[in-house]
Amino acid sequence: EPWRILAITFTNKAAKEMRERVNKLAGFAAKDVELRTFHSFCARLLRREAEHLPGYNKNFAIYDTTDQKTLVKQVIKDMGLDDKRYPVNGVIGKISGAKNSMLTPDKFAVEAQLNGDFYSVKTAGIYLEYQKRLKNNNALDFDDLLLLSVQLLTDDEEVRQRYQERFRYIMVDEYQDTNRVQYILTKLLTGPQQNLCVVGDADQSIYGWRGADIRNILDFEKDYPNAQIVKLEQNYRSTKNILDAANAVIANNTERKPKNLWTEK
């Protein structure tokens, strides 16, 4: 049944393109396929399950980058910190990195103390106050959507089983770009049936700076030992010279799955 299919991708543009292709392939039935970005899927899940979110209701606001900056700026000011030493964008980046690594303010503070990192200790204080104010405003930022979804599915067995029962066929696009929290979310939704299809290319992993973890795709067969690997080695975009050069360069990478791109061009 189409409503048992969940397809997740990263950007609204990719989701729109995927929706158009599915509609073309499957026609009327395609409307029931759950096809979303990670953030859109999690926002919908949390609104449906808001009763399980202490301190929030289903009408929570989602703060965009501008809202985030305004709030963090205010927190830095109220804490009497120098915004040149603690620039807003840098602090937001640290907080986002912590959330993508599944670190709550308390866990982040403990790590900072252990590492003797004064800047991170102060950032942990900002992070804690920022989260308090978000909650007081019944608001989540984009990273919270994923983090709270993972926490909910981890802690509440009934909710987890309901979603595992609902989605029997799960697909994730651009899997090489997933970070820690997206990886765990995928695992929780897949459940014991392990009926998961991911599409990705370790050679195209370029988002390490925003938390993407290449191990997610390199270790896929360890996580899912019955996985079937299908290599898509024919290239339709480039000429043979370009592919030969690209193959020669990327072959020097130590962390990759070997493949040999070829083209008829």
Side-chain angles (χ1 to χ4, degrees), residues 226-238:
N226 297 321
Q228 180 185 348
I229 308 302
V230 179
K231 289 187 181 182
L232 307 176
E233 293 177 304
Q234 183 174 4
N235 183 291
Y236 299 92
R237 292 177 179 169
S238 304

Side-chain angles (χ1 to χ4, degrees), residues 185-255:
L185 177 71
T186 305
K187 220 162 185 215
L188 286 166
L189 289 168
T190 304
Q193 63 262 29
Q194 299 208 331
N195 199 7
L196 171 67
C197 170
V198 305
V199 182
D201 180 0
D203 292 344
Q204 293 185 49
S205 181
I206 59 171
Y207 290 113
W209 55 274
R210 70 173 188 203
D213 188 349
I214 197 171
R215 304 296 335 163
N216 295 350
I217 194 162
L218 292 177
D219 291 346
F220 188 81
E221 291 135 286
K222 287 183 191 168
D223 291 331
Y224 303 94
N226 297 321
Q228 180 185 348
I229 308 302
V230 179
K231 289 187 181 182
L232 307 176
E233 293 177 304
Q234 183 174 4
N235 183 291
Y236 299 92
R237 292 177 179 169
S238 304
T239 60
K240 187 174 184 303
N241 280 352
I242 291 170
L243 286 186
D244 287 348
N247 283 333
V249 171
I250 202 74
N252 294 301
N253 278 16
T254 51
E255 294 193 325

Side-chain angles (χ1 to χ4, degrees), residues 5-234:
I5 300 170
L6 170 64
I8 301 180
T9 189
F10 276 81
T11 65
N12 291 324
K13 182 172 180 275
K16 184 171 176 281
E17 283 177 6
M18 204 188 282
R19 169 64 69 191
E20 285 167 0
R21 290 181 189 185
V22 172
N23 288 349
K24 212 172 185 178
L25 285 164
F28 184 71
K31 71 178 176 52
D32 292 327
V33 173
E34 189 92 1
L35 202 165
R36 298 183 171 275
T37 64
F38 272 105
H39 292 103
S40 160
F41 172 78
C42 289
R44 196 169 189 189
L45 182 152
L46 292 175
R47 291 201 195 280
R48 279 178 177 162
E49 309 297 337
E51 66 198 81
H52 302 286
L53 289 180
Y56 293 97
N57 66 54
K58 67 177 180 181
N59 298 316
F60 58 78
I62 299 173
Y63 275 18
D64 62 15
T65 312
T66 307
D67 301 321
Q68 260 189 302
K69 282 183 180 176
T70 304
L71 186 55
V72 169
K73 208 172 188 176
Q74 192 60 52
V75 170
I76 291 169
K77 187 181 175 189
D78 293 348
M79 288 177 71
L81 297 170
D82 181 359
D83 62 2
K84 288 188 177 61
R85 183 155 164 68
Y86 298 93
V88 173
N89 287 342
V91 170
I92 288 173
K94 276 269 194 186
I95 292 172
S96 180
K99 289 181 180 181
N100 288 334
S101 300
M102 305 280 301
L103 293 174
T104 60
D106 292 338
K107 285 179 183 170
F108 183 70
V110 169
E111 277 205 5
Q113 293 277 7
L114 287 172
N115 295 330
D117 181 348
F118 183 76
Y119 177 84
S120 291
V121 169
K122 284 292 182 191
T123 305
I126 300 169
Y127 179 13
L128 181 64
E129 184 58 29
Y130 168 69
Q131 284 306 118
K132 278 183 190 169
R133 295 189 189 191
L134 276 176
K135 205 166 196 176
N136 289 341
N137 295 341
N138 191 36
L140 304 174
D141 64 22
F142 286 121
D143 295 317
D144 285 329
L145 295 174
L146 276 72
L147 185 57
L148 287 182
S149 295
V150 164
Q151 287 173 350
L152 174 61
L153 291 168
T154 302
D155 298 341
D156 195 313
E157 189 180 351
E158 187 199 326
V159 173
R160 182 172 68 251
Q161 285 182 348
R162 191 161 6 105
Y163 281 86
Q164 288 174 352
E165 177 66 28
R166 158 93 193 264
F167 297 116
R168 293 299 184 89
Y169 308 89
I170 297 177
M171 182 195 144
V172 181
D173 194 21
E174 303 290 4
Y175 193 69
Q176 77 278 353
D177 293 334
T178 52
N179 57 31
R180 177 77 183 154
V181 72
Q182 289 161 337
Y183 162 79
I184 294 172
L185 177 71
T186 305
K187 220 162 185 215
L188 286 166
L189 289 168
T190 304
Q193 63 262 29
Q194 299 208 331
N195 199 7
L196 171 67
C197 170
V198 305
V199 182
D201 180 0
D203 292 344
Q204 293 185 49
S205 181
I206 59 171
Y207 290 113
W209 55 274
R210 70 173 188 203
D213 188 349
I214 197 171
R215 304 296 335 163
N216 295 350
I217 194 162
L218 292 177
D219 291 346
F220 188 81
E221 291 135 286
K222 287 183 191 168
D223 291 331
Y224 303 94
N226 297 321
Q228 180 185 348
I229 308 302
V230 179
K231 289 187 181 182
L232 307 176
E233 293 177 304
Q234 183 174 4

